[in-house]
Amino acid sequence: MSERPSVSSKSKKLVNKDSMEYRLRRERNNIAVRKSRDKAKRRNLETQQKAMQYMSENERLRSKVDQLTQELDTLRGLFRQMPEGGMSHSRP
């Protein structure tokens, strides 16, 4: 059997951490990371605000449904109290 030299899945370049190129890449990366995290935080806040708005709207609509249901029940009760002859209208 022959031995194969070990090859890493990612080749790594030797980087001089004191070089200007390295410092510039790190600074650009740090700016990009900060920007990405800020964007994620804003998106999260917007999502939370929308959720609160939807919950508020949902509560308002539930109250409206309750109000209309009570109104419907009242009208049905009044309608049932009407005499039978009062409901029919003769058409010519």
Side-chain angles (χ1 to χ4, degrees):
M1 285 174 100
S2 65
E3 288 188 32
R4 292 185 206 163
S6 64
V7 177
S8 69
S9 60
K10 291 184 180 180
S11 62
K12 296 201 176 198
K13 291 198 293 186
L14 293 176
V15 178
N16 179 2
K17 294 185 178 184
D18 294 326
S19 73
M20 184 58 90
E21 176 190 0
Y22 175 80
R23 289 180 186 274
L24 286 173
R25 278 191 291 145
R26 291 303 317 141
E27 183 61 29
R28 282 196 305 262
N29 180 259
N30 289 342
I31 292 168
V33 166
R34 210 174 300 125
K35 184 178 175 183
S36 175
R37 289 177 181 160
D38 288 345
K39 185 177 178 182
K41 285 178 187 176
R42 278 194 309 274
R43 202 168 41 241
N44 189 11
L45 283 174
E46 289 172 5
T47 301
Q48 288 178 353
Q49 288 173 347
K50 283 182 183 179
M52 294 298 290
Q53 288 173 348
Y54 292 147
M55 288 168 52
S56 176
E57 177 72 0
N58 195 21
E59 185 59 35
R60 188 187 67 77
L61 291 172
R62 285 183 196 276
S63 295
K64 183 71 173 177
V65 167
D66 290 344
Q67 174 197 345
L68 291 172
T69 301
Q70 288 176 351
E71 191 175 320
L72 179 62
D73 290 344
T74 301
L75 291 173
R76 280 184 175 154
L78 291 173
F79 194 70
R80 287 188 188 112
Q81 292 175 4
M82 291 177 64
E84 284 291 322
M87 288 185 357
S88 62
H89 297 284
S90 61
R91 295 186 184 197

